[in-house]
Amino acid sequence: MAVFDFDASVRWARFEPKHTLARRGDNKLPFISDIAEAGQELLLDTCVYIDGLQGRAPDAVADLLDIRLTNHSTVAIQELMHSVGVLDPKHPGTKIVVRQIRITINDMPTHRIFAPDADVLGKAALLSGMLCRLQGYQKDARLRALQDCVLFLQAQRLGFTILTANVNDFDYLLQLIPNGRVLFYRAES
C-alpha cells in the first residue's frame, strides 16, 4: 500500500457542501468555560502560543493547560519560525520576540511534539483546497487554511482536541467534519 492513497482521499472528501459556509453563533460552538475541566489531550494551534506570549490568553486557557496533557505540532513550530523569519532584524523589539519564541519552542517536550504523516498532509491539502474554493480565500489565507487543516486532521488522527482562538476557520472545519474536536476561546484585547 502506498503512503498516501489518492483515490481513498478523494472518496473521503465527497461530503463537500455546494455552497459557502456561514459562521455559526458562539452558542453552537464548544468554547472553554471559566472553570477548566479535565478532558482529552490538547493539540495547540499557533495562536495559543502567540496569545500567551502577548498576554492575550484568558486565565481559563492557562488553567486548562495546567490540567490537561498538552501536545504540540511541527506545524505550530513551523508557523512560529516563520514569524522569526518575517521579523525585521533592525526593529528594537525583534530580539525580545525571537527570544520568547526560542523559549517557547525549547520548552516543548520532545515526546509531546508530533509531525503529520503523509495521509494527514494529503487529506489536509484536499480539505484546504475545498475550503479555499468554498469560502473564496485568497493568497495568505490559503496557506493559513492549509496549516489549519493539517492541525485539525492531525488532532483527529491522534485523538486530541485542538485549542484555538481561530473561531471562523475552525468552525468551518467542524461544519465539514463534524466529528472533529475543537475547543475555542476568545483572546483578550
Side-chain angles (χ1 to χ4, degrees):
M1 186 172 127
V3 173
F4 175 71
D5 188 337
F6 180 89
D7 294 328
S9 293
V10 171
R11 283 191 307 275
W12 168 82
R14 289 192 179 153
F15 57 82
E16 176 190 356
K18 305 295 185 226
H19 55 83
T20 301
L21 301 169
R23 201 346 224 121
R24 296 176 292 179
D26 287 358
N27 62 334
K28 303 257 191 231
L29 299 173
F31 276 84
I32 63 173
S33 64
D34 291 336
I35 299 171
E37 300 172 355
Q40 292 178 314
E41 294 183 35
L42 299 172
L43 186 65
L44 305 184
D45 188 5
T46 308
C47 63
V48 177
Y49 304 102
I50 294 169
D51 290 341
L53 290 171
Q54 295 178 344
R56 297 184 325 181
D59 292 341
V61 167
D63 294 344
L64 192 64
L65 296 177
D66 283 342
I67 65 170
R68 292 210 194 174
L69 287 175
T70 303
N71 300 283
H72 314 276
S73 175
T74 54
V75 172
I77 293 171
Q78 183 182 35
E79 289 181 324
L80 289 168
M81 291 306 296
H82 176 79
S83 297
V84 170
V86 167
L87 292 170
D88 180 359
K90 296 176 186 164
H91 188 280
T94 295
K95 283 186 181 184
I96 294 168
V97 173
V98 169
R99 182 172 48 246
Q100 288 301 95
I101 291 173
R102 176 188 300 114
I103 291 168
T104 298
I105 292 172
N106 287 340
D107 282 349
M108 295 175 185
T110 55
H111 69 285
R112 292 267 172 224
I113 298 172
F114 295 90
D117 63 21
D119 187 56
V120 165
L121 292 171
K123 285 180 178 173
L126 178 65
L127 182 60
S128 71
M130 292 165 37
L131 189 61
C132 289
R133 180 173 34 80
L134 287 168
Q135 300 305 110
Y137 288 169
Q138 300 294 316
K139 298 184 182 180
D140 289 346
R142 289 182 175 194
L143 178 57
R144 188 186 73 239
L146 177 59
Q147 301 291 46
D148 290 343
C149 289
V150 171
L151 276 173
F152 184 80
L153 293 177
Q154 183 182 26
Q156 188 176 31
R157 165 73 48 89
L158 296 168
F160 300 155
T161 298
I162 292 284
L163 179 62
T164 186
N166 181 354
V167 180
N168 287 347
D169 294 328
F170 282 92
D171 176 26
Y172 299 148
L173 290 173
L174 283 173
Q175 289 179 56
L176 292 172
I177 304 176
N179 64 338
R181 291 177 298 276
V182 178
L183 274 176
F184 296 107
Y185 70 91
R186 293 270 183 222
E188 297 173 350
S189 309

